[in-house]
Amino acid sequence: MDALQIEKVELFKVPPRWLFLKITTKEGIFGWGEPVVEGRADTVAACVNELSQYLKGRSAHAIEDIWQTLYRGGFYRGGPILMSALAGIDQALWDIKGKSLGVPVHELLGGAVRQKMKMYCWIGGDSPEVVIEQAQSKVKEGYKAVKMNATGAFEWIDSNKKIKDVAKNIQLLREEFGNALDIGLDFHGRVHKGMVKSLIDELAAYNPMFIEEPVLTENNDALDHIYTYSSIPIATGERMYSRWDFKEVLHRGVVDIIQPDLSHAGGISEVRRIAAMAEAYDVALAPHCPLGPISLASALQIDFACINAVIQESSLGIHYNQGYDLLDYMENPEVFTLEDGYIPLLKEPGLGVRIDEEKLKEAQKVGHQWSNPIWRNEDGSFTEW
């Protein structure tokens, strides 16, 4: 096995809200990663640049030692910025290793346990008209599952009218598609503990596939009460960044589906470990992915190698992707072609996506300064977006 000495680390901040990383070895083999926190791209880029001192001159084959060095070598550990920077680096190193050996990453993780992965996409949730229109469009594209926001802005204790309105969107979808369409509901951490049970009472009749982030992760202790209240599967994890963050909720038995993000939770190396922990607790895996093609490819490599992976999110057509979409920077967009609700096994070496660097360079001239909206209640107080 050759040394694959890391020689160059490059970053590309491109619209709609993405940050791509290219790591190139002295031998000319390169790998792609996607290290970004939505709305904090420059901060993550600064972190990647700081960490690059530990990369240059190292063998790209030393993925685990590099991971441990980057995680433990800075004394202060974890959190969204460090773990997202580490995630992109880790993705790029796995891409290099796969390419150097001529195999897809899932082969290096033990081989595929499935030949295709069930997918879902986002359809909004803010108005009934948009939900029906977008759901019809996605079903025509071949999707058998969708996800939507359960609520808009919500106060700590809100009105009965808002509670009733929340159920209208999923009711319309059930009337339109019956049980042929799986529907995930994303609470997005917008709902406080005092409102969750009232919302569940309204939603239970429509059998959602799962309820995502019923409370903010800093309030995960509330899951003890929510979990026993409802038979609807509880999903969470997009704002959890390591196996240590997931350890407590798995041990307490208050989650049915974990949703680590391949660009936030330490990359392929760490999410593989998180998935194995979840398997030991009989918990399913559904990686979070509202980002670009490298993040999605990384998630799929995990899905193909993990027996407890049940469904995969895709950002194709998501409302964030204004002007640029998931396939626009790819030389081989066909690998993400949906077939009867599934994406087939990725077979190209490495992560399985080929990035058009010339398009990246052009888009980098445009760049972005994306940040999430700031929402306020009627009285002017801040509320969760």
Side-chain angles (χ1 to χ4, degrees):
M1 185 180 292
D2 57 36
L4 284 183
Q5 184 178 356
I6 296 171
E7 188 171 64
K8 188 186 298 185
V9 177
E10 300 171 90
L11 289 164
F12 303 83
K13 190 174 76 164
V14 297
R17 56 177 192 162
W18 301 336
L19 181 69
F20 290 179
L21 165 68
K22 182 183 181 184
I23 295 179
T24 306
T25 68
K26 189 176 180 180
E27 295 79 4
I29 298 177
F30 56 86
W32 291 99
E34 199 170 330
V36 68
V37 172
E38 300 90 301
R40 299 290 184 268
D42 290 335
T43 311
V44 178
C47 188
V48 172
N49 284 326
E50 286 183 336
L51 295 176
S52 65
Q53 65 178 301
Y54 301 100
L55 300 176
K56 293 176 182 177
R58 293 293 311 273
S59 169
H61 279 308
I63 297 174
E64 183 62 19
D65 187 65
I66 289 172
W67 196 99
Q68 296 292 343
T69 300
L70 298 184
Y71 179 79
R72 301 177 188 276
F75 190 77
Y76 297 101
R77 301 169 185 176
I81 302 303
L82 172 62
M83 297 307 289
S84 297
L86 177 48
I89 292 168
D90 186 79
Q91 292 166 2
L93 295 178
W94 280 104
D95 196 24
I96 289 170
K97 185 181 280 283
K99 289 173 178 175
S100 72
L101 299 173
V103 296
V105 168
H106 60 77
E107 289 288 352
L108 302 175
L109 299 175
V113 297
R114 55 181 53 83
Q115 297 302 305
K116 58 184 181 177
M117 190 66 203
K118 186 176 182 180
M119 304 296 295
Y120 75 87
C121 60
W122 190 90
I123 59 166
D126 295 331
S127 73
E129 295 80 12
V130 170
V131 164
I132 288 293
E133 180 184 333
Q134 291 194 7
Q136 289 171 337
S137 173
K138 294 303 180 184
V139 169
K140 287 178 182 176
E141 290 174 22
Y143 285 96
K144 296 182 176 181
V146 296
K147 182 175 77 175
M148 64 181 179
N149 286 328
T151 77
F154 236 66
E155 301 200 35
W156 288 66
I157 300 294
D158 218 315
S159 67
N160 187 58
K161 179 182 182 303
K162 273 196 182 178
I163 295 171
K164 297 293 184 181
D165 286 346
V166 164
K168 287 182 181 178
N169 287 340
I170 190 170
Q171 178 185 350
L172 289 170
L173 291 179
R174 281 284 173 249
E175 290 171 354
E176 177 74 14
F177 299 103
N179 292 316
L181 185 67
D182 291 327
I183 306 165
L185 292 178
D186 190 355
F187 280 34
H188 215 252
R190 294 172 178 171
V191 180
H192 295 276
K193 184 175 87 168
M195 299 303 300
V196 173
K197 289 188 283 189
S198 296
L199 287 168
I200 286 173
D201 287 342
E202 291 296 321
L203 296 169
Y206 304 107
N207 299 310
M209 178 169 53
F210 56 74
I211 288 174
E212 179 176 333
E213 266 197 334
V215 292
L216 291 165
T217 52
E218 52 259 44
N219 296 323
N220 273 345
D221 55 307
L223 293 177
D224 291 341
H225 310 287
I226 296 165
Y227 190 83
T228 56
Y229 188 77
S230 172
S231 62
I232 302 171
I234 300 298
T236 194
E238 71 183 75
R239 285 184 270 195
M240 298 163 69
Y241 310 113
S242 72
R243 73 198 97 151
W244 295 279
D245 289 343
F246 283 92
K247 179 171 66 172
E248 186 62 26
V249 293
L250 290 170
H251 180 67
R252 294 204 330 264
V254 293
V255 64
D256 300 295
I257 305 167
I258 58 162
Q259 299 172 301
D261 189 305
L262 268 292
S263 283
H264 299 329
I268 290 168
S269 296
E270 185 68 353
V271 174
R272 182 70 178 91
R273 292 186 280 257
I274 292 167
M277 284 177 59
E279 182 189 349
Y281 285 93
D282 205 21
V283 168
L285 172 72
H288 180 253
C289 188
L291 291 168
I294 302 165
S295 187
L296 177 57
S298 299
L300 286 166
Q301 296 294 343
I302 285 287
D303 294 328
F304 290 132
C306 294
I307 193 63
N308 52 335
V310 292
I311 198 164
Q312 176 59 54
E313 180 176 21
S314 165
S315 76
L316 186 62
I318 200 169
H319 62 298
Y320 304 123
N321 297 354
Q322 295 180 6
Y324 295 81
D325 213 327
L326 186 72
L327 309 180
D328 291 347
Y329 298 114
M330 294 177 62
E331 293 180 345
N332 59 336
E334 68 279 0
V335 299
F336 290 152
T337 298
L338 201 69
E339 297 181 9
D340 197 27
Y342 292 79
I343 284 181
L345 188 69
L346 301 182
K347 296 181 179 179
E348 293 199 22
L351 293 178
V353 290
R354 286 181 268 120
I355 300 300
D356 188 329
E357 192 169 343
E358 291 307 310
K359 286 186 178 179
L360 276 191
K361 289 176 179 177
E362 285 301 309
Q364 190 173 32
K365 296 174 185 176
V366 178
H368 69 84
Q369 290 297 327
W370 190 90
S371 60
N372 64 253
I374 299 298
W375 282 2
R376 295 194 179 274
N377 292 312
E378 188 175 345
D379 63 4
S381 61
F382 179 90
T383 190
E384 298 288 343
W385 168 72

